[in-house]
Amino acid sequence: MQIAAHKVVKIHYTLTNEEGDILDSSRGQDPLAYIHGHGNIIPGLENALTGHSPGDRFQVTIPPEDAYGLRNDELVQSVPKSAFQGVDEILPGMQFQAQSPTGLQLVTVLDVEEDEVLLDGNHPMAGITLNFDVEVTDVRDASAEELDHGHVHGPGGHHH
Ligand SMILES: [Zn+2]
């Protein structure tokens, strides 16, 4: 069966950056399960998978525009240290959930000064070209219930 809209697809993947560092991998765990054509994974990877079948293995390079977007410098800003009440020590690289007008947002600490903390609200993978090594392990029709819920049930998916 080929990958097309409304199919449940299982893949093993290894994600590396342009330097070859491994950023993420499903190897050693359950394969990633998702419903094709529903925007559950980044657009560049979803497009590259269309038409593939179980057993196919391939590499794809995805520019930031088709992955987690370009970096937006306006999302980098300083906030007073007093905004971090209850946090004993603030260090570069730490990540926090922040309340924003559009909901919870993940922010990363870039730098810590005497009274201020420099925060980056960009997605950690924004602006990064991603290299995926992908192996398709399973393709099947989604159930009516899975399409209704918008996610996969069973191994690699939701349990409820
Ligand atoms: Zn469900």
Side-chain angles (χ1 to χ4, degrees):
M1 185 178 277
Q2 287 191 326
I3 296 174
H6 311 320
K7 303 294 184 196
V8 168
V9 180
K10 291 187 183 180
I11 57 170
H12 269 304
Y13 67 92
T14 297
L15 168 60
T16 52
N17 61 15
E18 286 180 296
E19 287 74 42
D21 304 320
I22 295 178
L23 303 179
D24 192 15
S25 178
S26 67
R27 298 283 172 185
Q29 312 169 47
D30 282 335
L32 172 74
Y34 76 97
I35 303 178
H36 197 75
H38 288 237
N40 291 345
I41 60 174
I42 57 172
L45 185 57
E46 191 162 54
N47 290 339
L49 280 157
T50 301
H52 279 284
S53 306
D56 286 358
R57 185 167 182 173
F58 62 96
Q59 279 87 36
V60 59
T61 298
I62 301 173
E65 297 91 321
D66 294 324
Y68 293 97
L70 297 167
R71 284 187 55 81
N72 177 357
D73 288 338
E74 289 179 13
L75 295 179
V76 176
Q77 48 186 267
S78 284
V79 299
K81 240 181 189 173
S82 58
F84 291 85
Q85 281 175 12
V87 181
D88 288 338
E89 194 176 18
I90 307 165
L91 297 169
M94 289 175 84
Q95 295 186 318
F96 295 91
Q97 301 267 12
Q99 191 67 51
S100 80
T102 53
L104 281 178
Q105 187 190 12
L106 187 69
V107 297
T108 305
V109 175
L110 290 183
D111 196 17
V112 182
E113 287 150 33
E114 198 161 329
D115 298 317
E116 295 203 315
V117 179
L118 189 63
L119 293 179
D120 185 357
N122 286 286
H123 187 284
M125 292 191 199
I128 296 180
T129 295
L130 304 177
N131 295 304
F132 280 92
D133 178 287
V134 185
E135 182 182 359
V136 180
T137 63
D138 192 48
V139 181
R140 64 169 170 84
D141 288 317
S143 69
E145 191 183 46
E146 285 172 326
L147 289 176
D148 189 43
H149 289 194
H151 55 232
V152 175
H153 293 163
H158 286 238
H159 300 270
H160 64 122

